[in-house]
Amino acid sequence: MGAKTSPKWISAILRWPLLWHAARLALVSAYILGGFTKLLDLAGAAAEQEHFGLYPGLLWAVAAIVVELGGSLLVVVNRWVWLGAGGLGVLTFVAMLTANAFWTMGGHERFMATNAFFEHLGLIAGLVIVTILSEEAASRPQPAPGSQAIQGVSR
């Protein structure tokens, strides 16, 4: 992607074998939690969807659960990342427009919704970045056995 500019100790940390896996898991952790929370309280999840104007609430709740858990799984296992991250990104975009419509609010509520809106935008950017990195890693030649490589990211 560009010239190596990190200090050696940072580069060493970035090469830790489990960091790539942990970062992908951390990126989707809110979706995993949200998916299981909705799954364990389907009626509450449907009510939440309807609160934000998404009808029928049960259909939207089930779709959210499938995308949150299925998309997260694809990102974590580093398979079809484009599909998993893409689904999570679209879900997040819909949530931004419905739950964080700061342009319709005033006062402190507007302040909180504006922050949440742009935090979600940053999360979408993170999903795009993990997809780019996975695509780049998949297009590189596979390293020889015994060489230094991390699954999904060759160094």
Side-chain angles (χ1 to χ4, degrees):
M1 286 200 158
K4 189 173 181 180
T5 60
S6 302
K8 287 183 181 182
W9 66 275
I10 295 291
S11 293
I13 290 170
L14 293 175
R15 285 191 305 273
W16 286 350
L18 293 179
L19 185 59
W20 177 235
H21 304 292
R24 288 194 323 268
L25 180 60
L27 179 64
V28 299
S29 62
Y31 297 108
I32 294 169
L33 179 63
F36 279 117
T37 300
K38 287 177 185 70
L39 187 61
L40 296 173
D41 182 11
L42 201 51
E48 177 188 40
Q49 301 300 315
E50 290 179 0
H51 170 77
F52 292 115
L54 300 172
Y55 293 93
L58 183 60
L59 177 65
W60 282 97
V62 169
I65 292 166
V66 168
V67 171
E68 286 178 326
L69 296 179
S72 295
L73 179 64
L74 292 175
V75 171
V76 168
V77 301
N78 202 29
R79 299 290 182 257
W80 292 4
V81 176
W82 64 270
L83 180 61
L88 293 170
V90 169
L91 178 76
T92 303
F93 186 72
V94 170
M96 286 169 54
L97 296 178
T98 57
N100 303 121
F102 64 89
W103 52 92
T104 66
M105 303 172 187
H108 187 68
E109 183 183 29
R110 180 184 180 103
F111 174 78
M112 297 297 290
T114 301
N115 283 342
F117 183 92
F118 286 99
E119 287 170 357
H120 283 86
L121 185 61
L123 186 53
I124 292 170
L127 292 165
V128 170
I129 291 168
V130 79
T131 304
I132 291 168
L133 291 173
S134 291
E135 288 289 321
E136 283 185 359
S139 68
R140 288 189 206 122
Q142 294 298 318
S147 67
Q148 186 178 13
I150 300 171
Q151 181 184 1
V153 178
S154 300
R155 304 279 181 196

